[in-house]
Short mmCIF file of all heavy atoms in Angstrom, two decimals:
data_model
loop_
_atom_site.label_atom_id
_atom_site.label_comp_id
_atom_site.label_asym_id
_atom_site.label_seq_id
_atom_site.Cartn_x
_atom_site.Cartn_y
_atom_site.Cartn_z
N MET Z 16 -101.37 72.58 -49.44
CA MET Z 16 -100.33 71.75 -50.08
C MET Z 16 -100.83 70.34 -50.31
O MET Z 16 -101.56 69.79 -49.50
CB MET Z 16 -99.07 71.73 -49.18
CG MET Z 16 -98.40 73.09 -49.03
SD MET Z 16 -96.97 73.04 -47.93
CE MET Z 16 -95.84 72.00 -48.90
N SER Z 17 -100.42 69.78 -51.42
CA SER Z 17 -100.79 68.38 -51.75
C SER Z 17 -99.73 67.40 -51.29
O SER Z 17 -99.96 66.19 -51.30
CB SER Z 17 -101.00 68.25 -53.27
OG SER Z 17 -99.80 68.60 -53.97
N ALA Z 18 -98.58 67.90 -50.86
CA ALA Z 18 -97.47 67.03 -50.49
C ALA Z 18 -97.83 66.16 -49.25
O ALA Z 18 -98.56 66.59 -48.36
CB ALA Z 18 -96.23 67.87 -50.15
N SER Z 19 -97.30 64.94 -49.25
CA SER Z 19 -97.54 64.03 -48.11
C SER Z 19 -96.24 63.55 -47.50
O SER Z 19 -96.23 62.72 -46.58
CB SER Z 19 -98.36 62.82 -48.59
OG SER Z 19 -97.68 62.11 -49.62
N SER Z 20 -95.09 64.08 -47.96
CA SER Z 20 -93.79 63.70 -47.42
C SER Z 20 -92.88 64.92 -47.44
O SER Z 20 -93.21 65.95 -48.11
CB SER Z 20 -93.17 62.58 -48.24
OG SER Z 20 -92.82 63.02 -49.54
N LYS Z 21 -91.74 64.78 -46.77
CA LYS Z 21 -90.78 65.90 -46.74
C LYS Z 21 -90.27 66.25 -48.14
O LYS Z 21 -90.23 67.42 -48.53
CB LYS Z 21 -89.61 65.54 -45.82
CG LYS Z 21 -88.53 66.62 -45.73
CD LYS Z 21 -87.44 66.23 -44.75
CE LYS Z 21 -86.39 67.34 -44.66
NZ LYS Z 21 -85.37 67.01 -43.62
N ALA Z 22 -89.90 65.21 -48.91
CA ALA Z 22 -89.37 65.43 -50.26
C ALA Z 22 -90.41 66.13 -51.15
O ALA Z 22 -90.10 67.04 -51.90
CB ALA Z 22 -88.95 64.11 -50.88
N GLU Z 23 -91.67 65.69 -51.03
CA GLU Z 23 -92.72 66.29 -51.82
C GLU Z 23 -92.99 67.72 -51.42
O GLU Z 23 -93.26 68.57 -52.26
CB GLU Z 23 -94.00 65.47 -51.72
CG GLU Z 23 -93.91 64.11 -52.41
CD GLU Z 23 -95.17 63.29 -52.21
OE1 GLU Z 23 -96.13 63.79 -51.57
OE2 GLU Z 23 -95.24 62.14 -52.69
N ALA Z 24 -92.87 68.01 -50.10
CA ALA Z 24 -93.09 69.37 -49.63
C ALA Z 24 -92.02 70.29 -50.18
O ALA Z 24 -92.33 71.43 -50.62
CB ALA Z 24 -93.09 69.38 -48.10
N ILE Z 25 -90.78 69.85 -50.16
CA ILE Z 25 -89.69 70.65 -50.69
C ILE Z 25 -89.90 70.90 -52.19
O ILE Z 25 -89.76 72.04 -52.68
CB ILE Z 25 -88.33 69.97 -50.45
CG1 ILE Z 25 -87.99 70.00 -48.95
CG2 ILE Z 25 -87.22 70.58 -51.27
CD1 ILE Z 25 -86.76 69.21 -48.57
N ASP Z 26 -90.28 69.86 -52.94
CA ASP Z 26 -90.51 70.03 -54.38
C ASP Z 26 -91.65 71.01 -54.67
O ASP Z 26 -91.55 71.84 -55.55
CB ASP Z 26 -90.85 68.67 -55.00
CG ASP Z 26 -89.59 67.83 -55.27
OD1 ASP Z 26 -88.53 68.42 -55.34
OD2 ASP Z 26 -89.72 66.60 -55.38
N GLU Z 27 -92.72 70.92 -53.85
CA GLU Z 27 -93.89 71.78 -54.09
C GLU Z 27 -93.54 73.25 -53.83
O GLU Z 27 -93.93 74.12 -54.60
CB GLU Z 27 -95.04 71.32 -53.20
CG GLU Z 27 -96.37 72.02 -53.50
CD GLU Z 27 -97.55 71.36 -52.85
OE1 GLU Z 27 -97.39 70.30 -52.21
OE2 GLU Z 27 -98.66 71.94 -52.94
N LEU Z 28 -92.80 73.51 -52.75
CA LEU Z 28 -92.42 74.90 -52.43
C LEU Z 28 -91.43 75.44 -53.46
O LEU Z 28 -91.50 76.62 -53.87
CB LEU Z 28 -91.86 74.97 -51.04
CG LEU Z 28 -92.87 74.71 -49.90
CD1 LEU Z 28 -92.14 74.61 -48.57
CD2 LEU Z 28 -93.92 75.82 -49.86
#
Side-chain angles (χ1 to χ4, degrees):
M16 295 178 67
S17 60
S19 59
S20 67
K21 179 176 181 177
E23 290 178 1
I25 289 174
D26 279 339
E27 188 168 354
L28 292 171

